[in-house]
Amino acid sequence: MNDDRLWERLLASLNHWGNAAEVAPGRIELSYEDEDGLVRQVEIVMTADEWSDFAGTIWGDFGDAANDVKRMVTEAPLGLHYCVYGTYELVPSATPELPVDPEDAAMEEMARQHPEGFGRWVVTDEAGHVLDELGPEPG
């Protein structure tokens, strides 16, 4: 199935439980009533190609993929008005940009502080004795 048809089906699916409109390429404004009766507005930032990849690669089934989008949107914390496509997920965000993953940021900072590398790979025998190792010399 082509990306355009899948994208149209996504919009139709979102309109079954809310009001969705594509406001720009890769941008869907969605308003829906949450379980407490409050009207929430969210902007989904995801391209048709990303949706096609998500629906086909991860789920292989349109209905399951659409249900997962609904779950991710409705579970987004209040006050975060964007759901931005990351690798096979919609990430809640305060802006239309994918937020920085704190774990990735911590690893990048460690790499910046230790350009020589950090951590060691070791191979042990069943008794736990180191047989081989790779990485910077312990300091």
Side-chain angles (χ1 to χ4, degrees):
M1 185 173 292
N2 71 31
D3 293 348
D4 291 339
R5 179 71 178 119
L6 275 175
W7 189 249
E8 291 169 14
R9 287 183 67 195
L10 173 62
L11 288 168
S13 174
L14 293 171
N15 275 306
H16 281 290
W17 58 274
N19 294 310
E22 184 175 16
V23 295
R27 308 282 286 249
I28 299 172
E29 284 186 356
L30 171 67
S31 64
Y32 66 95
E33 190 173 306
D34 70 12
E35 60 189 26
D36 296 325
L38 300 172
V39 175
R40 292 190 61 191
Q41 294 189 352
V42 175
E43 185 168 320
I44 299 172
V45 182
M46 173 173 55
T47 67
D49 287 342
E50 290 166 339
W51 164 244
S52 178
D53 191 37
F54 177 81
T57 303
I58 293 301
W59 287 105
D61 176 82
F62 176 85
D64 290 339
N67 286 336
D68 201 29
V69 166
K70 179 179 180 180
R71 178 194 59 77
M72 289 183 282
V73 167
T74 58
E75 289 179 357
L78 289 172
L80 298 181
H81 300 288
Y82 295 91
C83 286
V84 183
Y85 184 81
T87 305
Y88 303 126
E89 66 180 338
L90 291 176
V91 179
S93 178
T95 71
E97 302 298 321
L98 189 63
V100 174
D101 183 320
E103 291 178 5
D104 289 346
M107 291 299 288
E108 286 177 17
E109 179 59 19
M110 285 180 69
R112 187 191 67 73
Q113 291 178 11
H114 303 281
E116 74 285 356
F118 54 92
R120 299 183 61 71
W121 289 92
V122 297
V123 177
T124 61
D125 62 17
E126 291 177 7
H129 300 103
V130 175
L131 301 175
D132 198 6
E133 53 191 301
L134 175 66
E137 291 298 322

